[in-house]
Amino acid sequence: MNADLVIAGSGLFGLTVAERCARDLGLRVLVVERRDHVGGNAYSETEPSTGIEVHRYGAHLFHTSNERVWEYVNRFTSFTGYRHRVFTVFKGRVYPMPINLGTICAYFGRVMSPDEARALVAAQAAEVTDPRNLEEKAISLVGRPLYEAFIRGYTAKQWQTDPRELPPEIITRLPVRYTFDDRYFNDRYEGLPTGGYTAWLERMADHPNIEVRLGTDFFDLDAAGNVPVVYTGPLDRYFDHAEGRLGWRTLDFAPEVVATGDFQGTPVMNYADEDVPYTRIHEFRHFHPEREYPPDRTVIVREYSRFADAGDEPYYPIDTAADRAKLVRYRDLARAEKGVWFGGRLGTYQYLDMHMAIASALTMYDNRLRPHFAARGTKG
Ligand code: FDA
């Protein structure tokens, strides 16, 4: 094998490590990717009949307050001025999300000052002091009325489980804003890659020292010998599930081309009612109002959530107490594995936003990879 470093997985974690090691250290990097495209879950593609960019693995909105990450990503793409906003339907009415003063005034049907709203929610939340399940925990944070409208049905659909049977630890906080600010993210920088995600991701891999081998499973690779490895696939898979499987939730996406220029007037509409089977509908044209898309057709994607089986894409770690106990044992195994570094959301069993995956890859590069290769005299 003609590589100084093998990277399993071409998501944002793997690509950041590959780019830094190739460009900064001059290493020959082999990236192996099981799928037929680079970019991991941030990958997007053009829906052929409309030309609309669709995020294949769920909507991806870039946001960060990390100056270093913002400077880094701008080397590969510029970003639009997109600002994410989400609405939710409950019992035939539409409300802004996350819960803010606009949601509270609309739901209770009267004008409230921030102090009045805060006092109302605090009084309603005082009903529960010692939460023993997710429902009680949510009520202790936002009170029963807001919980029953905006949290109960949505959470039950996300977990396919009655919230009274879910552990309270699943939520630590529920954001409530006592202003009319309805922006979804609080970060300093936000936007979508001007030329699309795939152009950004391919640009990161575009270096003569980087070879990307698509459609190749790391575990089918001929022995890597002594070549160091950065592994960003599922942690439990690496060890043949020796400590048992880590639990994940997955999503099913149902795309549809609809004969209208605008289906819902906004990119993301949540559905809080339990009798609506999907959790949300994305309408991808609204992520890029600056683009020329057809006036008479649009792409919508309904999203359904469930527990992942062995063959499903792992999306969100479930992170029960049993998962955490397994994770501790897997981390011990990972530490003992010489010449292999584990990273990314699958390799560490953590939900990471894109900016967090990039930041953590840059940290691994600074603290582990660069010193390792410097000690070995750069190459070999
Ligand atoms: P990622 O999963 O992207 O990449 C891992 C790669 O490894 C995959 O391509 C996989 O095929 C490959 N692989 C695994 N095993 C392999 C093997 N054995 N051999 C070869 N290849 C292998 N973030 C954000 O900032 N804003 C957002 O709006 C969203 N939205 C969002 C929606 C949904 C539904 C999810 C699940 C996630 C998000 N994210 C997000 C998070 C974002 O997707 C995440 O930050 C990145 O995927 C992290 O990149 P990684 O490289 O860690 O993993």
Side-chain angles (χ1 to χ4, degrees):
M1 182 174 308
N2 257 351
D4 304 307
L5 175 67
V6 172
I7 300 179
S10 69
L12 275 166
F13 192 98
L15 287 181
T16 303
V17 169
E19 191 277 338
R20 288 292 69 215
C21 288
R23 200 174 300 272
D24 221 28
L25 299 182
L27 299 181
R28 294 161 305 171
V29 182
L30 171 63
V31 179
V32 285
E33 170 55 58
R34 192 169 59 175
R35 294 172 174 165
D36 62 359
H37 60 76
V38 295
N41 281 5
Y43 172 78
S44 69
E45 59 202 341
T46 303
E47 194 289 316
S49 71
T50 57
I52 293 174
E53 182 184 349
V54 175
H55 306 165
R56 190 194 284 185
Y57 304 96
H60 276 66
L61 302 317
F62 189 81
H63 57 98
T64 188
S65 294
N66 183 321
E67 295 290 343
R68 185 183 185 198
V69 168
W70 183 240
E71 186 279 319
Y72 181 70
V73 296
N74 273 275
R75 295 180 196 179
F76 311 103
T77 179
S78 56
F79 287 83
T80 67
Y82 177 80
R83 300 287 175 264
H84 196 43
R85 288 185 168 78
V86 173
F87 295 87
T88 195
V89 173
F90 175 66
K91 287 200 193 301
R93 289 177 189 267
V94 179
Y95 303 89
M97 280 279 129
I99 298 171
N100 61 65
L101 198 48
T103 323
I104 295 171
C105 290
Y107 182 74
F108 292 105
R110 63 194 157 95
V111 178
M112 271 182 263
S113 70
D115 284 346
E116 285 166 341
R118 206 176 265 116
L120 177 72
V121 170
Q124 291 173 342
E127 175 189 338
V128 175
T129 49
D130 180 22
R132 284 157 307 169
N133 56 47
L134 190 146
E135 173 164 304
E136 291 179 1
K137 181 68 183 274
I139 292 172
S140 77
L141 294 168
V142 299
R144 187 177 292 275
L146 294 175
Y147 161 74
E148 289 186 345
F150 302 117
I151 317 285
R152 183 169 67 190
Y154 197 81
T155 307
K157 289 192 287 187
Q158 273 184 314
W159 294 93
Q160 293 193 305
T161 306
D162 187 316
R164 285 169 295 194
E165 284 156 28
L166 289 167
E169 307 84 62
I170 288 180
I171 43 171
T172 45
R173 53 186 287 277
L174 286 170
V176 177
R177 285 200 198 119
Y178 293 99
T179 67
F180 286 98
D181 178 5
D182 63 351
R183 272 184 60 183
Y184 199 76
F185 300 117
N186 294 317
D187 280 320
R188 189 172 317 142
Y189 305 110
E190 184 180 343
L192 288 166
T194 313
Y197 276 97
T198 298
W200 165 18
L201 299 159
E202 285 178 348
R203 199 136 181 246
M204 290 181 78
D206 184 16
H207 188 279
N209 280 11
I210 300 178
E211 181 195 340
V212 180
R213 227 174 268 173
L214 297 177
T216 308
D217 195 305
F218 170 73
F219 297 105
D220 295 337
L221 212 57
D222 287 341
N226 289 330
V227 181
V229 170
V230 171
Y231 176 83
T232 74
L235 182 59
D236 51 359
R237 166 68 186 92
Y238 185 90
F239 296 104
D240 285 327
H241 308 106
E243 301 292 340
R245 283 182 187 274
L246 293 165
W248 292 86
R249 271 195 305 124
T250 193
L251 299 174
D252 294 316
F253 299 109
E256 189 183 340
V257 176
V258 186
T260 171
D262 197 346
F263 178 80
Q264 61 184 15
T266 194
V268 181
M269 186 65 81
N270 288 358
Y271 286 83
D273 295 289
E274 214 173 332
D275 56 356
V276 177
Y278 39 87
T279 48
R280 45 189 180 173
I281 298 181
H282 300 279
E283 185 175 7
F284 279 93
R285 69 180 306 130
H286 291 297
F287 288 127
H288 288 281
E290 79 286 1
R291 290 185 187 166
E292 294 250 338
Y293 281 145
D296 56 349
R297 276 162 301 146
T298 194
V299 181
I300 62 165
V301 178
R302 292 187 173 81
E303 186 175 303
Y304 302 79
S305 173
R306 61 181 171 80
F307 288 102
D309 290 327
D312 290 322
E313 287 292 343
Y315 279 138
Y316 299 104
I318 294 177
D319 208 20
T320 59
D323 286 322
R324 283 197 288 270
K326 285 178 211 165
L327 184 59
V328 168
R329 296 198 291 275
Y330 279 122
R331 282 192 182 144
D332 288 342
L333 289 172
R335 258 191 298 274
E337 194 75 1
K338 294 294 167 233
V340 182
W341 292 277
F342 294 82
R345 64 181 193 98
L346 300 169
T348 57
Y349 190 65
Q350 271 183 81
Y351 178 81
L352 299 174
D353 270 328
M354 290 181 278
H355 67 105
M356 296 155 86
I358 295 165
S360 117
L362 292 173
T363 302
M364 177 185 281
Y365 173 72
D366 288 347
N367 298 346
R368 309 254 170 210
L369 299 167
R370 194 168 49 190
H372 173 85
F373 286 103
R376 288 175 56 171
T378 308
K379 283 192 178 181

